[in-house]
Amino acid sequence: MAIRSAIITVMIQAAYKAAPGLVHDFGEVENLQVSMKGPSDFVTSADLQAERVLRAELARARPAFGFLLEEAGVVKGTDESHRWIVDPLDGTLNFLHGIPHFAISIALEHNREIVAGVIYDPLRDELFRAEKGGGAYLNNRRMRVSSRAELSQAMIATGIPWRGRPRQSQYLDWLAAVMTNCVGVRRLGSAALDLAYVAAGRYEGFWEPALSPWDIAAGILMVREAGGFVSEIDGGSGVLASGDVLAANDQLHEPLLALLAAANATRGAT
Ligand code: 2AM
Ligand code: CA
């Protein structure tokens, strides 16, 4: 049985407290799917309710810490060195369409460094967690990134920039490179779970541009603590700020970086 610190226990309890509401509301989406109005407003309120529960639970346990919340934004704490980064519902579009793939993501920053992360998939009851220097776990089993070392055997997850997002033609060049060199590409719609799955060795890698800190903060730590590497898509180190993520197992991070860079070079992009 893995040892859990007090802080990760607080995060897990908060996720467990918010999850039943999300699961219940997800059940309602199916009924609303056929109504004239559709489930959009309902999903927004499910999202907000989950965020309220998470915020209340985390604040109760550590009243001085600040927050960066997907819905409510920045909430300053009296302790400026600690900040929770919370996505109450990652995979909102899946949730809205009745697709059972979404998660709660909670990270803790200390002096601007991510020190703990929890990603909880309530429908599969899969709890992913990591602490800086303490390894990464899936439901109390130690996680390790996959050992596949060939791009030709690699399953790569991604996120496709949707309507109105920048860099769509650049994205198509990246995709062309990855799809022609790797064994498979997946786009499941929750960046938090994509990163958790890289940590768990299910995917060899994941890349997506222009994500937000709450999508990726917990997952970045998880991949690193599971022995993988995370950088920006061009290899830079400002991944939390830019949201341009490339995560992979230790053996394939470098080859993927080169593959994506070559795709840009072919196209003449900088
Ligand atoms: P969200 O579900 O919390 O919004 C998938 O590409 C990632 O992008 C998800 O982590 C998702 O987080 C985020 N995202 C934000 N807006 C999106 C949109 N309109 N369509 C798809 N994904 C979106
Ligand atoms: Ca999100």
Side-chain angles (χ1 to χ4, degrees), residues 138-270:
L138 164 52
N139 291 342
N140 293 326
R141 251 184 313 114
R142 187 87 189 225
M143 285 197 287
R144 169 86 202 147
V145 291
S146 96
S147 55
R148 291 191 184 90
E150 303 294 329
L151 281 178
S152 60
Q153 298 176 344
M155 169 117 92
I156 305 299
T158 188
I160 302 172
W162 52 95
R163 185 167 57 95
R165 299 289 276 184
R167 288 187 281 159
Q168 295 187 334
S169 76
Q170 181 180 28
Y171 181 85
L172 289 174
D173 292 328
W174 286 330
L175 181 61
V178 173
M179 68 190 262
T180 50
N181 284 279
C182 300
V183 78
V185 179
R186 294 288 182 273
R187 196 279 192 256
L188 298 190
S190 161
L193 286 176
D194 290 335
L195 288 164
Y197 284 16
V198 172
R202 294 173 179 175
Y203 296 134
E204 277 60 53
F206 164 67
W207 97 99
E208 180 166 354
L211 289 164
S212 299
W214 44 81
D215 302 321
I216 55 177
I220 290 171
L221 179 66
M222 227 158 270
V223 171
R224 289 179 175 155
E225 287 295 324
F229 291 112
V230 184
S231 69
E232 291 181 271
I233 297 172
D234 66 3
S237 59
V239 57
L240 199 62
S242 71
D244 291 343
V245 184
L246 172 62
N249 76 25
D250 45 334
Q251 303 184 81
L252 285 174
H253 185 267
E254 190 65 46
L256 275 169
L257 205 53
L259 188 67
L260 296 170
N264 278 351
T266 310
R267 179 177 169 269
T270 52

Side-chain angles (χ1 to χ4, degrees), residues 16 36 53 97 165 207 217:
Y16 283 165
M36 287 295 278
V53 172
H97 285 251
R165 299 289 276 184
W207 97 99

